[in-house]
Amino acid sequence: MAIIEVSNLKKSFGQLDVLKQITFNVNKNDVVAVIGPSGSGKSTMLRSLVHLEEINGGSITVSGEPLVKEGVYSKPQEVKRITSKMGMVFQHFNLFPHLTVKENLELPPRLVKKESPEDIQKRSSELLGKIGLADRASAYPANLSGGQKQRVAIARALMMNPEILLFDEPTSALDPELTGEVLEVMKALAEEQMTMIVVTHEMGFAREVANKVMFMDNGEIIESGHPSELFTNPKNERTKAFLTRSLK
C-alpha cells in the first residue's frame, strides 16, 4: 500500500522550473534512495513533502490524506497534522546549540505532543541508547563530532514517532570516517522496517540498503527501479553517465 503518493509535482523559482511533473509512490516499509547530480531538484522535492517548500502544481497524499491536491493545499491545521507523520533529518543537523543532547530530543514532543514528562524522558533515554550516545545525554552540540550530531538529529526526529523519515543528504557535511556511524544507524532503522526516503550521494548505501532507487536530473525522475537493476543495467543514457562518474 502506498504511504506517499506524489503526482505531477511542479515547483518553480521565478522562471526556473525546479521540479517538472514529478510522479512516484512510496510503499510502507520502503527505503527509497534518491540520487542524482547537485541541482537536480532532489532536496526541493523532499522539502515539498513536508511543506518546507510550497509547490506550484500537482498532488501529494500521505497515508491516504491529501496534503495538496492539484496545487491546492488542505487547511493549515490539516497540513500541520499530515506533515507531522513525517520526520526530517537535515544535512547540517539543525540542533539547538544552547540545549543539551537530551534537551534537544525532548523539546519537540514537549511542545507538540500531550505526553507525560516521564514518557518523554523514557523515550529519549531509549533512543540515545539505540544510537550509541547514552553517555552524551548532558553534552552540548558544540562538544560532539559531526557524526554524533547527526545521530542526535536522527533520534530527535524519531522522538515524534513518525511514520516516515526523510533524510536530506545526511552524510554530506561529514568527514568520511564519520559517515559510517550515521549510515549504520540508518541501516538499523531500515532493518526495523522504517519507511524512509533518503536523498544521498552514498551509492553504497543506495545499493545495499534501499529497495528502490530514483535517479533525478534537471527536475525530473529520469529512471527508477530496484538497485540491483538500476545500478547494473540502467536504461537511460543520463543515468548511465551519472553512475559511471559516481561509481569510479
Side-chain angles (χ1 to χ4, degrees), residues 25-39:
N25 287 352
V26 176
N27 292 327
K28 191 170 169 53
N29 309 133
D30 272 353
V31 178
V32 180
V34 186
I35 64 172
S38 298

Side-chain angles (χ1 to χ4, degrees), residues 4 24 26 30-34 45-46 49 86 164-168 195-199 214:
I4 294 178
F24 66 92
V26 176
D30 272 353
V31 178
V32 180
V34 186
M45 179 275 290
L46 202 68
L49 299 180
M86 296 175 277
I164 304 146
L165 268 185
L166 310 178
F167 294 84
D168 188 11
T195 307
M196 300 194 283
I197 306 177
V198 185
V199 171
M214 299 194 312

Side-chain angles (χ1 to χ4, degrees), residues 139-174:
Y140 287 90
N143 298 319
L144 301 178
S145 71
Q148 289 172 330
K149 287 177 191 171
Q150 193 60 292
R151 283 188 278 158
V152 171
I154 293 170
R156 182 178 61 180
L158 290 169
M159 281 295 289
M160 302 301 284
N161 290 320
E163 295 177 29
I164 304 146
L165 268 185
L166 310 178
F167 294 84
D168 188 11
E169 303 276 15
T171 59
S172 63
L174 303 179

Side-chain angles (χ1 to χ4, degrees), residues 45-56:
M45 179 275 290
L46 202 68
R47 291 168 64 85
S48 299
L49 299 180
V50 283
H51 199 222
L52 291 174
E53 297 286 356
E54 197 131 316
I55 64 164
N56 303 119

Side-chain angles (χ1 to χ4, degrees), residues 17-81:
D17 293 330
V18 182
L19 300 177
K20 307 168 186 172
Q21 307 285 358
I22 295 283
T23 297
F24 66 92
N25 287 352
V26 176
N27 292 327
K28 191 170 169 53
N29 309 133
D30 272 353
V31 178
V32 180
V34 186
I35 64 172
S38 298
S40 58
K42 304 184 301 294
S43 294
T44 302
M45 179 275 290
L46 202 68
R47 291 168 64 85
S48 299
L49 299 180
V50 283
H51 199 222
L52 291 174
E53 297 286 356
E54 197 131 316
I55 64 164
N56 303 119
S59 303
I60 300 170
T61 303
V62 181
S63 297
E65 297 185 284
L67 173 68
V68 53
K69 189 171 183 178
E70 293 176 4
V72 179
Y73 280 90
S74 295
K75 292 177 180 174
Q77 64 267 34
E78 287 296 293
V79 167
K80 192 172 180 182
R81 186 179 61 78

Side-chain angles (χ1 to χ4, degrees), residues 1 5 61-62 72 80 123 128 136 153 203 222 229:
M1 178 198 148
E5 298 170 85
T61 303
V62 181
V72 179
K80 192 172 180 182
R123 196 156 74 257
L128 285 175
R136 305 311 307 271
M203 295 300 139
I222 304 300
E229 182 68 17

